[in-house]
Amino acid sequence: MSIRIQNIVPILKARAFGNTAEAVIDTVSIDSRSLQNSAHTLFFALVGPNNDAHAYIEDLIATGVQNFVVLHIPEGCANKANFLIVENTLDALQQFAAYYRCLFHFLVIGLTGSNGKTIVKEWLNFLLSPDFNVIRSPKSYNSQVGVPLSIFAINEKHNLGIFEAGISTVNEMEKLEKIIQPTIGILTSIGSSHDEGFLDLEEKINEKLVLFKEAEIVIYQKRDLVDKLILPRTKAFTWSFKNAEADVFVYKKETENLNTTVYYKYKGNSHELIIPFQDKASIENAISCLMALLYFNYDSTTIQSRMLLLFPVEMRLKVKNGINNCSLIDDSYSSDFQSLKIALDFLESQKQFPKKTVILSDIFQSGLSNEELYSKVSQLIISNNISRVIGIGETISAFKDTFVNCITFNNTAEFISNFENLDFANETILIKGARSFQFEEIVYLLEEKTHETVLEINLNAISYNLNFFKSKLKPNVKIMVMVKAFGYGNGGLEIAKLLEHHKVDYLGVAFADEGISLKNGGIHLPIMVLNPENTSFSAIIQYQLEPEIYCLKGLYAFLKIAKEKNLYHFPIHIKLDTGMHRLGFEEDTIEELIATLKGNDTVQIRSILSHLATSDDLKHRDFTLSQINLFDTMSSRIVRELGIDPIRHILNTSGISNYPDSQFNMVRLGIGLYGVSNDPAEQKYLENVGTLKSVISQIRTITAGESVGYGRKFMAEKPTKVATIPIGYADGISRGWGNGVGFVSIKDKKAKILGSICMDMLMVDVTEIDCTEGDSVIIFGESPTVSYIAKKLNTIPYEVLTSISQRVKRVFYR
């Protein structure tokens, strides 16, 4: 990119101030923290709900940035730089991106859908790059900001673009269509993500199809609703598992040895294709890629040879602990210029040490000559203050002298053989390499070796489940989310931080120490303590927690302390017993409760609540309705006689779904947040949050007559391959799940648990599974689910989740 500022002014309909006649820009930025900003950067000062980039312009000028797109010139900055004043800086960014896209004329594939966009994009890049110089969206850059930033990476050497577009509500796709301008459209799987932004599925699909309004052809899985919404002038190229009228009809699937063979008909001929995956999503994504290859007229031999090499796509930059007090940033599956810029910015934001090392492979598909490419890479390295570069690959080795403090190796094996001679300690290390260099081996060498059993918590899934239940609420109904018992075993503080970000109204914990831990962690949301002991009242007051008061003895005790501390209107919550018979004021104590609180200004009733005993079981609907009616009667009397207007709440997770007319002023969301519902019909709409994972420690084969585990509870009747997994009942796995009752998942196949579960280990049958030591094991997650385990153990999902030991490391990711 090399564009004069004066040529940009009319595009943005901007008012220009400064020396814009001579100024030239070669990059665009929205991140004031990026060390890649320079005198030739055009900085767009975006304004969001919690941040205004105008506040950083003075600092940017001090670092040498000279060109800004702004809403106004900040005080003290006039005459110090070039300013283009516009009405909306995000609109200006998108307008400039649309203009820049029009400077290039080549095929562009545009992808949208609910799921699979990034994977299909990465696979198409892999499949088509032998024949095209491809420019694609880095990572998941598919938003209103991400798409423009992706477009700015185009140069004159590219002859195929692959860009993804994501939306969350109506009237967003039109802006992205003007920027991407796809000639070929691919609609991937349509799921439930962002449903809350649309009236219905038809509106959602219709909005996504706006991306393809000028496209020559649209590829999608044939379905009546999409057929109806496709513009008549747009050519459709469809596939289907069920409808033989589709252009490509997949009429048979077979799975074997981790592969799936699909048989399909196209233009009257039958073909066979082996896909190196077995899961439904990967197969559908692979067929989307097949359709693109067919449209490009590739022959079946080329299609098969390339698609056999498809690989899992890692879409996360992960931060890990390394050896010798190092911090690792693992981006070991991609190496292109645009994603390198992103990774270096991430390195700067995550650095823990002044010393920064980059391990970098040859860079592919830049669209630049090697001389120009590695000159630009060197400039990036310098601007990001990288202490050391370790280059791996014959090309980067040839340009070793371009870098300062650089050592190179021709391949990964050469690096590994010299690993003991390299010094890694007290530094942050970015590991970034193309897939063919197998940098995962380098990550393994540098990663700190710890207990390999982890509970992975998907924060995106928690956000989705929260929004799912919020969509069921009437306007102005508040929501309390329960984070007691260490967030139902998932991790309390991290989830509480996410809930605070989502601006829920209340958090609920069981005991004071749980609330104190959250307050010490920086949580500012009001926190209700559901089961406070009288001895904890002083701590509750000190940490500004809000106690549930459920009996006269507790009320008197709290009022005594409140009076001693001269409190005024300290918030409390009154619990009523309407039939659960666990905690709460009963009807015959209401009169004394009212008499005690009347005229007392040391406390204020913030809410009145009760607890349903059978909200999940509609066989007891009459009993539940009687609880709700009694709660309404009792709470109304308190409200009336005390002349107050508190929040009232009785519904839990199941109650939200089964008794929508009884939401009162607030509901309490518990297990549903964590992806578990008592209703199978509702369960399919929730996303799995926690995945308990381990690895295979050892594999052995025993003969008929040999036994496994304590007490010889399993006796082999034939030669059996046994894998040992480092997780046991001390980690929270019930012993009742052993002896053939339960299973784990290995390579998407069930491995039955053999014999008794030990304190720290369990053993499984892998006779029919092609696996090796070190392979990943799913204890629970998508399969088996915690609900399935609970049913088999004759218990409830709560117990399965909350039993997971604190010694199991929780890993949070987005």
Side-chain angles (χ1 to χ4, degrees):
M1 176 189 294
S2 181
I3 300 177
R4 290 186 177 275
I5 288 283
Q6 63 182 11
N7 296 334
I8 300 174
V9 174
I11 297 163
L12 305 185
K13 299 178 181 177
R15 290 183 292 134
F17 295 85
N19 184 23
T20 58
E22 300 299 324
V24 175
I25 64 108
D26 58 17
T27 59
V28 169
S29 176
I30 62 166
D31 186 355
S32 63
R33 299 162 299 181
S34 176
L35 297 180
Q36 298 159 31
N37 295 324
S38 70
H40 297 293
T41 296
L42 180 60
F43 184 85
F44 284 78
L46 301 185
V47 178
N50 301 309
N51 197 27
D52 184 349
H54 291 78
Y56 310 112
I57 288 178
E58 188 171 6
D59 291 338
L60 284 165
I61 293 173
T63 64
V65 180
Q66 281 292 292
N67 307 293
F68 299 89
V69 177
V70 296
L71 300 178
H72 59 85
I73 300 175
E75 185 177 351
C77 294
N79 303 317
K80 293 182 179 180
N82 303 319
F83 293 97
L84 305 184
I85 299 180
V86 297
E87 292 185 2
N88 184 300
T89 48
L90 176 57
D91 288 347
L93 177 72
Q94 295 171 338
Q95 289 161 7
F96 184 40
Y99 160 78
Y100 187 74
R101 164 69 179 89
C102 288
L103 299 178
F104 302 93
H105 304 282
F106 53 76
L107 287 175
V108 171
I109 299 174
L111 298 111
T112 192
S114 301
N115 307 297
K117 298 184 292 294
T118 301
I119 293 171
V120 172
K121 177 199 67 186
E122 292 298 322
W123 283 355
L124 284 177
N125 172 65
F126 169 77
L127 294 166
L128 296 171
S129 59
D131 309 303
F132 294 91
N133 195 347
V134 180
I135 175 68
R136 71 191 191 280
S137 311
K139 298 292 180 182
S140 297
Y141 269 43
N142 59 31
S143 67
Q144 299 290 308
V145 173
V147 170
L149 296 179
S150 301
I151 292 293
F152 291 130
I154 300 174
N155 65 47
E156 63 277 0
K157 299 290 181 64
H158 294 122
N159 56 14
L160 177 65
I162 309 175
F163 299 102
E164 55 176 299
I167 56 170
S168 57
T169 188
V170 295
N171 302 321
E172 289 186 343
M173 190 62 86
E174 185 175 5
K175 297 176 181 179
L176 301 186
E177 189 277 333
K178 291 178 181 177
I179 300 170
I180 297 174
Q181 301 173 37
T183 43
I184 300 167
I186 298 179
L187 182 67
T188 62
S189 172
I190 298 294
S192 57
S193 60
H194 298 300
D195 273 357
E196 66 278 6
F198 304 93
L199 291 175
D200 52 31
L201 182 61
E202 180 171 338
E203 183 180 65
K204 183 178 183 178
I205 293 174
N206 208 35
E207 177 70 16
K208 290 182 180 294
L209 291 177
V210 170
L211 179 63
F212 310 134
K213 67 180 184 179
E214 301 295 336
E216 296 174 0
I217 191 167
V218 180
I219 295 168
Y220 63 92
Q221 184 175 7
K222 189 173 181 62
R223 54 193 298 182
D224 292 341
L225 185 53
V226 181
D227 290 342
K228 182 181 78 171
L229 297 174
I230 287 282
L231 293 173
R233 66 174 180 273
T234 304
K235 181 181 178 183
F237 188 34
T238 62
W239 66 274
S240 178
F241 291 122
K242 301 176 180 179
N243 191 335
E245 295 182 1
D247 297 294
V248 174
F249 177 49
V250 183
Y251 60 88
K252 187 178 180 183
K253 290 187 294 183
E254 294 177 349
T255 57
E256 184 180 5
N257 298 327
L258 305 182
N259 295 331
T260 300
T261 302
V262 298
Y263 301 86
Y264 65 94
K265 290 182 179 179
Y266 175 55
K267 292 185 176 180
N269 298 315
S270 291
H271 304 269
E272 176 183 319
L273 177 67
I274 300 174
I275 299 169
F277 299 96
Q278 290 189 345
D279 63 287
K280 178 176 179 287
S282 294
I283 293 169
E284 291 186 1
N285 291 333
I287 293 175
S288 291
C289 294
L290 165 67
M291 297 293 288
L293 295 179
L294 292 173
Y295 181 70
F296 278 94
N297 292 317
Y298 281 89
D299 61 82
S300 57
T301 301
T302 302
I303 292 173
Q304 180 62 90
S305 63
R306 293 187 185 181
M307 293 195 68
L308 263 178
L309 301 176
L310 292 180
F311 48 85
V313 175
E314 179 56 67
M315 292 182 284
R316 296 179 286 172
L317 279 166
K318 295 179 286 188
V319 181
K320 302 178 177 180
N321 292 328
I323 60 173
N324 304 326
N325 197 36
C326 289
S327 175
L328 309 182
I329 296 175
D330 181 2
D331 195 12
S332 55
Y333 289 99
S334 68
S335 182
D336 59 82
F337 186 68
Q338 189 73 355
S339 67
L340 174 60
K341 294 170 70 175
I342 295 168
L344 287 170
D345 278 340
F346 187 75
L347 167 62
E348 183 62 22
S349 70
Q350 294 291 322
K351 69 175 182 181
Q352 298 182 21
F353 307 95
K355 184 179 180 183
K356 297 182 289 186
T357 292
V358 173
I359 302 176
L360 182 65
S361 77
D362 288 347
I363 294 176
F364 302 128
Q365 296 174 276
S366 68
L368 305 171
S369 66
N370 284 335
E371 290 76 11
E372 187 178 0
L373 169 63
Y374 288 101
S375 174
K376 285 181 173 289
V377 172
S378 176
Q379 293 170 21
L380 280 181
I381 295 295
I382 292 170
S383 65
N384 279 270
N385 302 319
I386 301 303
S387 311
R388 173 174 58 161
V389 176
I390 299 175
I392 299 178
E394 294 182 359
T395 305
I396 197 171
S397 295
F399 289 89
K400 174 182 177 182
D401 294 339
T402 308
F403 303 94
V404 178
N405 193 19
C406 177
I407 181 173
T408 60
F409 302 94
N410 285 325
N411 51 55
T412 302
E414 188 177 318
F415 168 89
I416 292 173
S417 66
N418 285 274
F419 182 75
E420 296 298 329
N421 301 321
L422 299 170
D423 180 27
F424 293 101
N426 303 310
E427 58 190 303
T428 303
I429 306 168
L430 170 63
I431 304 163
K432 183 155 186 62
R435 180 177 173 80
S436 58
F437 284 86
Q438 297 180 312
F439 270 19
E440 63 270 18
E441 297 180 20
I442 296 176
V443 174
Y444 178 78
L445 284 174
L446 288 169
E447 191 172 6
E448 181 182 47
K449 306 304 183 286
T450 58
H451 186 38
E452 293 180 290
T453 296
V454 299
L455 180 60
E456 289 189 345
I457 310 300
N458 184 343
L459 296 177
N460 284 22
I462 287 180
S463 298
Y464 172 83
N465 294 337
L466 173 65
N467 288 328
F468 173 79
F469 284 101
K470 285 175 72 174
S471 71
K472 294 174 175 283
L473 303 184
K474 298 175 183 177
N476 302 318
V477 172
K478 299 179 184 296
I479 187 165
M480 172 187 285
V481 180
M482 311 310 295
V483 290
K484 60 182 182 178
F486 194 52
Y488 289 66
N490 292 282
L493 179 59
E494 292 80 3
I495 291 173
K497 287 181 177 179
L498 178 65
L499 296 172
E500 189 162 60
H501 172 75
H502 283 293
K503 298 181 179 178
V504 303
D505 300 285
Y506 261 91
L507 297 179
V509 298
F511 300 104
D513 57 348
E514 295 176 318
I516 292 169
S517 177
L518 295 181
K519 288 292 186 180
N520 285 334
I523 297 300
H524 296 98
L525 283 173
I527 300 173
M528 185 175 113
V529 182
L530 281 80
N531 308 323
E533 295 109 335
N534 291 3
T535 54
S536 69
F537 284 157
S538 292
I540 285 174
I541 293 169
Q542 178 184 347
Y543 286 92
Q544 294 295 297
L545 303 173
E546 302 180 16
E548 172 190 286
I549 304 296
Y550 50 82
C551 65
L552 290 168
K553 180 181 177 181
L555 177 61
Y556 297 145
F558 190 82
L559 290 176
K560 181 176 184 239
I561 295 176
K563 185 175 181 180
E564 290 172 353
K565 294 183 178 291
N566 296 314
L567 299 182
Y568 179 74
H569 283 183
F570 192 92
I572 63 172
H573 302 261
I574 299 298
K575 176 73 170 286
L576 305 180
D577 181 7
T578 57
M580 180 78 165
H581 296 330
R582 188 172 64 179
L583 293 174
F585 289 93
E586 296 180 294
E587 274 193 284
D588 60 3
T589 61
I590 295 298
E591 187 171 344
E592 187 171 352
L593 167 68
I594 293 171
T596 303
L597 290 176
K598 187 170 288 186
N600 191 316
D601 60 3
T602 58
V603 297
Q604 180 187 60
I605 298 179
R606 187 62 54 85
S607 83
I608 304 174
L609 66 146
S610 187
H611 198 95
L612 297 176
T614 59
S615 63
D616 59 326
D617 190 347
L618 294 179
K619 290 186 297 185
H620 298 287
R621 181 175 177 81
D622 289 344
F623 178 79
T624 300
L625 290 175
S626 71
Q627 277 197 271
I628 293 170
N629 291 332
L630 181 57
F631 171 70
D632 191 17
T633 300
M634 293 171 67
S635 61
S636 295
R637 180 184 175 188
I638 297 171
V639 167
R640 183 176 61 255
E641 296 195 26
L642 289 179
I644 58 177
D645 185 24
I647 300 167
R648 294 194 294 165
H649 49 111
I650 191 171
L651 298 185
N652 54 8
T653 296
S654 296
I656 293 171
S657 300
N658 292 334
Y659 299 92
D661 294 330
S662 302
Q663 294 176 3
F664 291 94
N665 309 109
M666 186 163 74
V667 298
R668 301 188 301 272
L669 178 60
I671 194 75
L673 181 77
Y674 306 98
V676 178
S677 172
N678 293 305
D679 181 359
E682 183 176 74
Q683 181 65 57
K684 65 182 181 181
Y685 292 108
L686 299 180
E687 292 190 357
N688 179 66
V689 169
T691 301
L692 183 58
K693 303 173 72 172
S694 192
V695 297
I696 298 175
S697 296
Q698 189 176 25
I699 295 177
R700 61 172 52 78
T701 299
I702 62 174
T703 60
E706 291 189 285
S707 62
V708 172
Y710 287 117
R712 306 192 73 195
K713 296 293 181 65
F714 173 79
M715 303 290 293
E717 298 178 355
K718 60 182 179 179
T720 304
K721 189 165 67 169
V722 180
T724 300
I725 317 300
I727 185 171
Y729 59 77
D731 299 293
I733 307 303
S734 170
R735 293 185 79 247
W737 190 232
N739 295 308
V741 175
F743 69 92
V744 301
S745 289
I746 301 174
K747 297 292 185 70
D748 294 323
K749 293 186 176 180
K750 293 182 179 180
K752 184 170 66 175
I753 297 174
L754 303 177
S756 297
I757 291 175
C758 309
M759 180 181 289
D760 308 299
M761 287 169 279
L762 58 82
M763 289 70 73
V764 299
D765 184 352
V766 292
T767 307
E768 303 299 325
I769 301 175
D770 181 17
C771 57
T772 60
E773 292 171 359
D775 280 349
S776 179
V777 178
I778 304 297
I779 311 301
F780 66 63
E782 297 288 352
S783 177
T785 64
V786 291
S787 296
Y788 176 86
I789 295 173
K791 185 176 181 180
K792 287 291 185 179
L793 294 176
N794 194 31
T795 184
I796 56 177
Y798 298 77
E799 183 176 351
V800 177
L801 283 174
T802 58
S803 294
I804 302 306
S805 167
Q806 295 280 340
R807 80 175 184 178
V808 174
K809 181 180 179 181
R810 271 69 172 173
V811 176
F812 299 87
Y813 70 93
R814 289 182 182 274

